[in-house]
Amino acid sequence: MKGIVGRKIGMTQVFDQETGGLTSVTVIEAGPCPVVQVRTEENDGYEAVQLAFEQVSERKLNRPELGHLKRAGVEPHRKLVEVRGPHELSEGDTVTVSAFEPGDSVKVTGVTIGKGFQGTIKRHRFGRGPKTHGSHNVRQPGSVGASATPSRVFKGIRMAGQMGSQRFTQRGLTVVESDPEHNTLLVSGSVPGARNGIVVVREDS
């Protein structure tokens, strides 16, 4: 399983001179990510690798975090992410964007943009009520349950509430370009998260 941690920079377009087509791509500044810890089937019950991203000064981490990184011989980093799956990495190795090649199928995980408390029309795409003839049900959700039986509201009823700011994985993406010199990946389409948000790029099997 190939994986790397990065930061979403923004979107742009790539022009193909052969076909004359434009491809919308997302620019991700990924790695280099040193390997901090390796999970094995024998010791942990599953295979995974823990990657560090974005080097920072020691004063921005607490003592347990610093000790965990120093035990692996890794400089202080802001973010630690575990990528599950079989691999051939060991502690002290460094993962870069060179692990991905153009044409690779990937999936990107990030935290979606938070939109605050929203009503049912925006959050769940409900239809609105009539605006005329004295209607007071223009943007109301309507009935949420029966009165006599069962005399309660079932769990999971779609209502107004917090929208966005959730972990989401976008699948079916393709690596358009990999630039090890500038530590950037160009991924086709859009990926979840706001600009400068942390994302995890993994091989989509």
Side-chain angles (χ1 to χ4, degrees):
M1 170 63 71
K2 294 188 291 186
I4 195 170
V5 188
R7 185 178 296 277
K8 178 180 176 180
I9 303 301
M11 294 194 68
T12 184
Q13 294 175 331
V14 173
F15 177 72
D16 190 345
Q17 294 183 354
E18 295 182 359
T19 63
L22 280 176
T23 303
S24 298
V25 296
T26 301
V27 182
I28 300 176
E29 182 184 357
C33 297
V35 176
V36 179
Q37 191 174 13
V38 175
R39 305 284 191 182
T40 60
E41 191 75 33
E42 296 77 13
N43 297 332
D44 306 286
Y46 64 97
E47 287 186 287
V49 60
Q50 190 180 75
L51 303 177
F53 176 69
E54 194 174 10
Q55 191 168 345
V56 294
S57 61
E58 289 191 7
R59 64 181 179 84
K60 294 189 177 182
L61 300 180
N62 56 36
R63 293 180 66 184
E65 292 171 335
L66 289 172
H68 178 65
L69 292 170
K70 286 182 179 180
R71 192 178 302 112
V74 178
E75 295 294 326
H77 284 70
R78 186 187 304 275
K79 190 75 173 177
L80 290 178
V81 175
E82 191 172 276
V83 179
R84 291 198 176 196
H87 56 85
E88 298 179 354
L89 298 171
S90 58
E91 290 187 8
D93 293 346
T94 302
V95 179
T96 63
V97 295
S98 59
F100 295 90
E101 298 179 357
D104 288 351
S105 181
V106 295
K107 55 185 177 182
V108 180
T109 301
V111 178
T112 60
I113 298 174
K115 300 181 183 298
F117 191 98
Q118 299 296 334
T120 54
I121 289 182
K122 181 172 182 177
R123 190 181 186 209
H124 300 296
R125 299 182 180 179
F126 279 15
R128 64 168 179 82
K131 288 186 175 181
T132 57
H133 300 288
S135 171
H136 295 283
N137 190 29
V138 179
R139 294 181 69 90
Q140 309 299 330
S143 175
V144 293
S147 58
T149 303
S151 299
R152 64 186 179 90
V153 179
F154 287 112
K155 291 183 178 179
I157 295 296
R158 293 178 295 173
M159 296 184 180
Q162 167 67 35
M163 182 178 179
S165 193
Q166 295 178 334
R167 181 181 171 89
F168 182 80
T169 300
Q170 180 67 51
R171 306 191 66 171
L173 304 176
T174 305
V175 175
V176 177
E177 184 179 330
S178 176
D179 187 358
E181 183 178 353
H182 298 93
N183 296 322
T184 56
L185 280 175
L186 299 186
V187 179
S188 64
S190 60
V191 303
R195 189 174 298 170
N196 293 323
I198 300 294
V199 295
V200 181
V201 183
R202 291 172 292 167
E203 183 182 13
D204 192 3
S205 56

